C-alpha cells in the first residue's frame, strides 16, 4: 500500500528533526555543542532565578522552566541555535495574570498556553503572526522592557511596596524614599555598573590583544574575554552571594531570596484546582481569574518565538509550523513539571550562536547543568540578594528598548510611526495586552485604508508617429472590493480631465493580479461609464484569469495582450477617423442615441471599410482576428454607428480568398444599418491598420 503524506518517513523526519542531524553528528559537532551548552548554562541559571522573581514566584520555578525546555527542543527543535526558556516578557505577563493565584495559576497557564500553541501549529495559524508589523512588535517589546525595569525598582532599592502599573510604581517609589535600604541600593547599582562594563569587554581593544592573531596565547585571551562576557550574570551572582553569606547573622544588611525548594520536581498533572487560604478554587474559577491571559500569553509567546526564529534564519528557509509545535510542546509538557510559560529568548539565542553551537544537542548540557543546580545548589540560592537579581533583570531588558526605530521609520515611511507610538504608550498606560491589541488595530486600519484607496498613476501619453495621444492609468496593486469605488472615481475623473471626455483611456493591468466579484462588477461599471460617453477604454496586459472573470458578467471588454498591439489598434483607428472626417458622410451622435442624416442613411448603411496591411502575404492568425474584431467593434460603437451590446461579431475565415486572403468582420443589428469591414492581413505580423477607403 502507498503511504500517505501524513504517515510518510519524510513527514516523520520533519517533525523529529533530531533524526536528521544525528545521522551526520561527529566530534566537531560534539565539541561545539559542549562549549555552547556550558556557556548557555552559565547564562540561563541566573536568568531563570531572576525571571521567576519577576513572575512573583520563587526562583526554583524558573529553573523548572529552563530544564524541560532544553530537553524538548533537543528532540523537536528545527534550528541549531534557538533557546527556549523563561523570558522577561513572559515573566511580566505571568505576574500580571497569575500573581494573585500563586504558583498553581502560573503552572496551569503554562499548560493551557501549550494546548493553544499546539492547536495553532496543527491548523497552521502561524501565518497570522505575519499580519503584525515590525513597528507594533518594536513598540510592544520596548514598552514591556520599561515595564519590567520599572517593576524591579522597588527590589533594587530594597523597598517593600505593593504596586500596580508603571505610573503607580514610580509614584510609590518616590513617595517612600525614606524606606530605601541603602545597602540594597548600593549593591544593586554596583551590580548594574559591573554588568554594563563586563558586557563591553568583547568590544574593547586591549593593547595586549590582537583580534586577528591565531597564536594559542591570543586565542586563549579571546576565549577568556568571551566567557567573562557571556558568564557575567553568573559571576556577579556568585560574588554577591558570597558577600551576603559572609555577612550572615542577625544583622544581615541585604534583602535575601530566602528558602528555595530543593530537588527535581515530580511529574504530576497540571493543577486543575487549587486551595487559596481555606477555600478550594475550581478550574472554572481559575480560568475566570486568569481571564484574557489564557489567550494573550500563548499569543505573545508564539509571536516572540516566530520573530526570534526569523531573526536568526540568515535567509534560510524556516519551518515555522514545526517551531510553533515545539514551543507548544515545551509549555504543554512543562505543565507536568511545574514550569511557568516559556518562549524563545533573543539574547541567549545570540550567545548560543556565538558560542559555536552546531546542533540542538547543546541543550542536553544546559539541561543537565540546571538539574544539578536544582539538586545541589538550592541551599546557596537562599543567600542571593534580591537587589542583585533586580540589577540583572534591568540590564537585560534595557537592551530590548529600540531607541533608533523612530528616526528610522521617519526616514523610510513616517506613517509607520503611528502604530509604534500607539502600541508603546498603549502598553505603558493600559497594559501590555491592550497596548498590542490597539497597535494591531491601527495597523489593520492602515492596511484597509491602503486597500480602499489604491494608488493609481495617471499620465497623458503624447501623440507619436501615427499613434494618437491617450491617457494611461496604472493601478499599484490588485483590485479588491474596498478599492473598487475609488478606482472607478479616479478613472472617471481622468477620462474627463486628462482625456477631455474623448481621448482613449488605457488601463495598465500589469500589477493587477487579484480580483473578486465586487471588483469585477466594478470593472463592468467602469466599462459602461466610458461607453455612455462614447470614450474608448482599453485594458492592457490583463491577466487571463481576471479577463475571464470580467467576461462572465460583461463580454464587451477590449483587452490587449501588449502595448505593441494597442499602438497598432490606436494608429489604425486614427486612420479610420481621419478618413471619416475627410469624407462627405456625417453622422450626428447625441449622447447614446444616434440620429442619421436621412439623405445619407442609405450610403452610410452600405459603407465598407477596406483596410490593407503593409505586407499582404500570409494569413491572419486566430488571435489577430480576435484583436481586430474587438478593436473595430469598440471603435464603431464609440462612433455611434451601432448600438452597444446589441451587435454580434463573426470572423469569417471562409471569406478569405486565395489571392486576397481577405477577412470580413460583420457587425450587424436587426434594427439599424450595418457595416462590414474587409481587410487584407499578414499572419506573420501583428494587425497593422494601414489604409482606409470609403465608397462615394
Amino acid at each position: 500500500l502507498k503511504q500517505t503524506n501524513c504517515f510518510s518517513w519524510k513527514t516523520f523526519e520533519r517533525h523529529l528533526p533530531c533524526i536528521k542531524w544525528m545521522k551526520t553528528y561527529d566530534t566537531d559537532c560534539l565539541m561545539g555543542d559542549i562549549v555552547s551548552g556550558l556557556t548557555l548554562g552559565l547564562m540561563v541559571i541566573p536568568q531563570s532565578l531572576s525571571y521567576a522573581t519577576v513572575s512573583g514566584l520563587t526562583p526554583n520555578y524558573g529553573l523548572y522552566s529552563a530544564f524541560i525546555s532544553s530537553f524538548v527542543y533537543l528532540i523537536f527543535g528545527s534550528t541549531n541555535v534557538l533557546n527556549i526558556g523563561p523570558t522577561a516578557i513572559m515573566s511580566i505577563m505571568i505576574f500580571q495574570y497569575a500573581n494573585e493565584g500563586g504558583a498553581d495559576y502560573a503552572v496551569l497557564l503554562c499548560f493551557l498556553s501549550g494546548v493553544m500553541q499546539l492547536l495553532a501549529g496543527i491548523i497552521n495559524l502561524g501565518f497570522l503572526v505575519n499580519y503584525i508589523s515590525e513597528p507594533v512588535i518594536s513598540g510592544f517589546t520596548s514598552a514591556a522592557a520599561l515595564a519590567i525595569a520599572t517593576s524591579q525598582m522597588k527590589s533594587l532599592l530594597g523597598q517593600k511596596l505593593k504596586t500596580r502599573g508603571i505610573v503607580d510604581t514610580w509614584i510609590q517609589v518616590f513617595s517612600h524614599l525614606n524606606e530605601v535600604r541603602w545597602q540594597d541600593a548600593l549593591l544593586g547599582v554596583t551590580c548594574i555598573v559591573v554588568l554594563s562594563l563586563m558586557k563591553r569587554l568583547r568590544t574593547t581593544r586591549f593593547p595586549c590583544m590582537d583580534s586577528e592573531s591565531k597564536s594559542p596565547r591570543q586565542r586563549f585571551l579571546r576565549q577568556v574575554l568571551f566567557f567573562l562576557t557571556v558568564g557575567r550574570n553568573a559571576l556577579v551572582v556568585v560574588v554577591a552571594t558570597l558577600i551576603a553569606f559572609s555577612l550572615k547573622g542577625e544583622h544581615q544588611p541585604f534583602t535575601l531570596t530566602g528558602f528555595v525548594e530543593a530537588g527535581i520536581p515530580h511529574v504530576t498533572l497540571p493543577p486543575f484546582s487549587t486551595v487559596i487560604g481555606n477555600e478550594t478554587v475550581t478550574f472554572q474559577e481559575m480560568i475566570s481569574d486568569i481571564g484574557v491571559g489564557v489567550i494573550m500569553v500563548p499569543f505573545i509567546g508564539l509571536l516572540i518565538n516566530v520573530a526570534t526564529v526569523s531573526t536568526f534564519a540568515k535567509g534560510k528557509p524556516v519551518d515555522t509550523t514545526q517551531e510553533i509545535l515545539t514551543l507548544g510542546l515545551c509549555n504543554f509538557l512543562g505543565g507536568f513539571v511545574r514550569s511557568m510559560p516559556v518562549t524563545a529568548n533573543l539574547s541567549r539565542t545570540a550567545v548560543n550562536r556565538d558560542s559555536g553551537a552546531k546542533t540542538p544537542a547543546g541543550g542536553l548540557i544546559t539541561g543537565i547543568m540546571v538539574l544539578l543546580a536544582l539538586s545541589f545548589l538550592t541551599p546557596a540560592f537562599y543567600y542571593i540578594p534580591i537587589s542583585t537579581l533586580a540589577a540583572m533583570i534591568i540590564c537585560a531588558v534595557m537592551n530590548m528598548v529600540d531607541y533608533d526605530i523612530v528616526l528610522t521609520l521617519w526616514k523610510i515611511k513616517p506613517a509607520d510611526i503611528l502604530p509604534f507610538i500607539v502600541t508603546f504608550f498603549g502598553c505603558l498606560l493600559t497594559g501590555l495586552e491592550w497596548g498590542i491589541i490597539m497597535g494591531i488595530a491601527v495597523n489593520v486600519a492602515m492596511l484597509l485604508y491602503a486597500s480602499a484607496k489604491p494608488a493609481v498613476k495617471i499620465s497623458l501619453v503624447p501623440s507619436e508617429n501615427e499613434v494618437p495621444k491617450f491617457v494611461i492609468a496604472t493601478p499599484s496593486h490588485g483590485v479588491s472590493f474596498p478599492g473598487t469605488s475609488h478606482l472607478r472615481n479616479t478613472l472617471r475623473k481622468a477620462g474627463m480631465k486628462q482625456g477631455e471626455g474623448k481621448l482613449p483611456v488605457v488601463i495598465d493591468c500589469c500589477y493587477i493580479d487579484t480580483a473578486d466579484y465586487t471588483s469585477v462588477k466594478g470593472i463592468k461599471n467602469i466599462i459602461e461609464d466610458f461607453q455612455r460617453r462614447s470614450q474608448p477604454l482599453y485594458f492592457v496586459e490583463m491577466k487571463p484569469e481576471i479577463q475571464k472573470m470580467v467576461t462572465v458578467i460583461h463580454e464587451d471588454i477590449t483587452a490587449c495582450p501588449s502595448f505593441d498591439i494597442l499602438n497598432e489598434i490606436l494608429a489604425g483607428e486614427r486612420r479610420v477617423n481621419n478618413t471619416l472626417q475627410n469624407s462627405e458622410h456625417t453622422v450626428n451622435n447625441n449622447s447614446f442615441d444616434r440620429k442619421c442624416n436621412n439623405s445619407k442613411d442609405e450610403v452610410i448603411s452600405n459603407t465598407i471599410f477596406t483596410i490593407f496591411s503593409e505586407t499582404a502575404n500570409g494569413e491572419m492568425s486566430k488571435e489577430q482576428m480576435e484583436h481586430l474584431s474587438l478593436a473595430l467593434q469598440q471603435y464603431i460603437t464609440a462612433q455611434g454607428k451601432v448600438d452597444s451590446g446589441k451587435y454580434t461579431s463573426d470572423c469569417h475565415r471562409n471569406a478569405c480568398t486565395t489571392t486576397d486572403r481577405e477577412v470580413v468582420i460583420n457587425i450587424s443589428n436587426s434594427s439599424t444599418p450595418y457595416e462590414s469591414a474587409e481587410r487584407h492581413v499578414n499572419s506573420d505580423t501583428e494587425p497593422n491598420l494601414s489604409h482606409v477607403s470609403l465608397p462615394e
Side-chain angles (χ1 to χ4, degrees):
L1 295 175
K2 185 178 180 181
Q3 286 182 317
T4 62
N5 290 332
C6 294
F7 300 100
S8 65
W9 176 256
K10 184 177 180 180
T11 303
F12 184 73
E13 195 175 58
R14 175 195 170 193
H15 293 301
L16 282 176
C18 60
I19 296 175
K20 187 175 181 179
W21 57 259
M22 281 181 180
K23 294 178 181 179
T24 57
Y25 203 77
D26 53 21
T27 54
D28 290 337
C29 294
L30 178 62
M31 293 306 299
D33 291 339
I34 290 175
V35 173
S36 63
L38 291 172
T39 304
L40 206 59
L42 292 174
M43 188 175 184
V44 74
I45 291 174
Q47 281 193 352
S48 299
L49 298 173
S50 58
Y51 290 149
T53 61
V54 175
S55 304
L57 307 174
T58 54
N60 52 303
Y61 284 93
L63 296 177
Y64 299 162
S65 308
F67 88 83
I68 187 63
S69 302
S70 299
F71 292 149
V72 171
Y73 199 82
L74 165 69
I75 301 172
F76 298 99
S78 64
T79 72
N80 295 333
V81 298
L82 190 73
N83 177 262
I84 294 179
T87 66
I89 293 179
M90 284 289 99
S91 299
I92 194 66
M93 297 194 75
I94 295 167
F95 179 81
Q96 184 172 345
Y97 294 115
N99 178 56
E100 293 183 1
D104 284 345
Y105 276 57
V107 175
L108 178 62
L109 185 56
C110 178
F111 174 78
L112 295 176
S113 296
V115 172
M116 299 289 288
Q117 290 161 349
L118 282 173
L119 182 62
I122 292 172
I123 61 179
N124 291 322
L125 289 180
F127 74 94
L128 294 175
V129 178
N130 298 328
Y131 289 91
I132 304 175
S133 68
E134 190 64 32
V136 172
I137 296 175
S138 180
F140 173 78
T141 54
S142 297
L146 292 180
I148 294 166
T150 298
S151 70
Q152 296 304 301
M153 288 305 300
K154 57 182 182 291
S155 298
L156 184 75
L157 301 177
Q159 297 172 313
K160 298 185 181 297
L161 304 173
K162 291 185 178 180
T163 60
R164 293 187 63 86
I166 294 177
V167 177
D168 181 61
T169 298
W170 284 107
I171 291 175
Q172 294 284 351
V173 167
F174 282 103
S175 299
H176 297 81
L177 288 178
N178 58 323
E179 298 179 13
V180 171
R181 291 172 58 92
W182 68 267
Q183 299 93 333
D184 286 326
L186 179 61
L187 179 62
V189 172
T190 303
C191 289
I192 290 176
V193 173
V194 172
L195 289 170
S196 301
L197 292 176
M198 292 183 69
K199 182 183 177 182
R200 290 170 172 77
L201 283 177
R202 291 185 63 191
T203 58
T204 304
R205 293 186 177 182
F206 295 96
C208 60
M209 291 189 60
D210 184 3
S211 59
E212 298 181 357
S213 176
K214 296 183 180 180
S215 66
R217 179 175 177 273
Q218 292 295 326
R219 292 175 61 183
F220 174 76
L221 290 175
R222 286 196 295 269
Q223 288 295 325
V224 170
L225 284 181
F226 174 77
F227 279 107
L228 285 175
T229 303
V230 299
R232 61 186 182 277
N233 290 327
L235 184 61
V236 168
V237 168
V238 169
V239 172
T241 303
L242 290 175
I243 294 174
F245 180 77
S246 64
L247 298 175
K248 67 177 180 178
E250 296 181 0
H251 303 289
Q252 173 62 249
F254 305 120
T255 303
L256 304 180
T257 299
F259 173 77
V260 176
E261 185 178 350
I264 301 171
H266 298 289
V267 178
T268 59
L269 288 174
F272 295 110
S273 64
T274 187
V275 177
I276 299 179
N278 294 323
E279 296 183 1
T280 299
V281 182
T282 64
F283 176 73
Q284 291 80 3
E285 291 173 333
M286 294 175 72
I287 296 296
S288 177
D289 292 340
I290 296 173
V292 72
V294 174
I295 302 297
M296 292 306 301
V297 170
F299 173 72
I300 296 301
L302 188 150
L303 172 64
I304 296 172
N305 193 75
V306 173
T308 306
V309 171
S310 302
T311 300
F312 291 91
K314 294 184 177 180
K316 297 179 181 179
V318 176
D319 191 346
T320 305
T321 300
Q322 178 62 23
E323 287 300 315
I324 294 173
L325 290 172
T326 303
L327 176 64
L329 282 172
C330 288
N331 283 308
F332 178 81
L333 297 177
F336 293 88
V337 291
R338 307 290 292 172
S339 169
M340 62 185 195
V342 296
T343 188
N345 184 277
L346 186 65
S347 61
R348 292 199 299 267
T349 300
V351 168
N352 201 26
R353 178 200 59 189
D354 296 341
S355 302
K358 303 296 183 182
T359 69
L364 179 63
I365 306 297
T366 303
I368 291 174
M369 290 181 65
V370 175
L371 290 178
L372 291 174
L374 279 168
S375 301
F376 303 107
L377 297 181
T378 46
F381 295 162
Y382 180 95
Y383 294 98
I384 298 177
I386 293 291
S387 60
T388 299
L389 296 177
M392 286 174 48
I393 295 168
I394 292 172
C395 288
V397 300
M398 293 312 294
N399 297 321
M400 295 165 49
V401 180
D402 198 342
Y403 303 98
D404 303 324
I405 191 171
V406 174
L407 183 60
T408 304
L409 291 175
W410 180 262
K411 292 179 180 179
I412 297 175
K413 187 178 180 182
D416 284 341
I417 296 178
L418 180 61
F420 171 82
I421 292 177
V422 170
T423 306
F424 181 77
F425 286 102
C427 289
L428 291 180
L429 300 177
T430 64
L432 296 177
E433 72 281 10
W434 295 111
I436 195 169
I437 290 174
M438 293 164 61
I440 293 172
V442 171
N443 218 43
V444 171
M446 293 173 66
L447 287 174
L448 292 176
Y449 180 82
S451 178
K453 297 283 186 178
V456 182
K457 182 181 179 181
I458 305 294
S459 57
L460 183 63
V461 179
S463 177
E464 184 178 358
N465 297 330
E466 295 183 343
V467 180
K469 65 179 178 179
F470 60 90
V471 178
I472 183 169
T474 307
S476 60
H477 54 75
V479 182
S480 56
F481 70 91
T484 304
S485 178
H486 173 73
L487 179 63
R488 183 182 180 184
N489 293 333
T490 302
L491 293 175
R492 185 186 298 166
K493 292 178 182 178
M496 295 301 298
K497 184 178 180 181
Q498 287 89 344
E500 301 173 357
K502 59 183 180 180
L503 293 179
V505 174
V506 177
I507 301 177
D508 185 357
C509 305
C510 63
Y511 298 117
I512 301 179
D513 53 3
T514 59
D516 51 40
Y517 172 76
T518 306
S519 58
V520 167
K521 193 172 181 180
I523 293 175
K524 169 182 175 290
N525 294 333
I526 292 170
I527 296 173
E528 293 176 347
D529 289 342
F530 280 80
Q531 287 179 344
R532 289 190 187 97
R533 58 173 180 259
S534 301
Q535 187 174 8
L537 178 67
Y538 302 93
F539 295 84
V540 181
E541 297 185 359
M542 176 177 277
K543 303 293 186 297
E545 58 271 18
I546 297 179
Q547 185 176 345
K548 183 178 179 181
M549 293 169 64
V550 176
T551 54
V552 170
I553 61 175
H554 198 284
E555 296 182 355
D556 188 14
I557 176 176
T558 305
C560 302
S562 67
F563 277 95
D564 292 336
I565 294 178
L566 172 71
N567 290 337
E568 292 197 10
I569 292 174
L570 292 176
E573 289 184 357
R574 186 176 188 180
R575 298 189 194 101
V576 174
N577 189 44
N578 290 338
T579 303
L580 286 175
Q581 291 178 355
N582 293 332
S583 69
E584 61 182 9
H585 309 300
T586 60
V587 177
N588 182 17
N589 176 30
N590 183 12
S591 185
F592 205 68
D593 298 324
R594 286 164 301 286
K595 298 178 181 179
C596 297
N597 189 328
N598 293 332
S599 62
K600 309 287 185 178
D601 187 66
E602 184 177 354
V603 177
I604 295 173
S605 64
N606 292 290
T607 299
I608 299 176
F609 297 95
T610 306
I611 306 171
F612 298 90
S613 64
E614 294 178 356
T615 56
N617 54 356
E619 296 182 355
M620 174 177 273
S621 66
K622 181 180 179 181
E623 183 181 3
Q624 290 172 324
M625 286 192 295
E626 290 175 352
H627 290 314
L628 177 60
S629 175
L630 288 172
L632 290 178
Q633 290 172 18
Q634 177 83 8
Y635 175 74
I636 294 171
T637 303
Q639 294 297 321
K641 295 184 178 63
V642 295
D643 193 0
S644 173
K646 295 181 180 179
Y647 61 76
T648 60
S649 63
D650 185 20
C651 297
H652 298 280
R653 188 74 179 182
N654 297 330
C656 298
T657 64
T658 304
T659 55
D660 297 331
R661 293 183 175 84
E662 293 178 329
V663 176
V664 180
I665 300 175
N666 292 328
I667 302 175
S668 60
N669 183 279
S670 58
S671 59
T672 60
Y674 71 89
E675 289 89 14
S676 67
E678 296 180 351
R679 181 176 182 189
H680 295 268
V681 298
N682 179 2
S683 65
D684 295 330
T685 62
E686 298 290 346
N688 186 13
L689 310 180
S690 58
H691 180 72
V692 177
S693 63
L694 292 172
E696 296 294 337

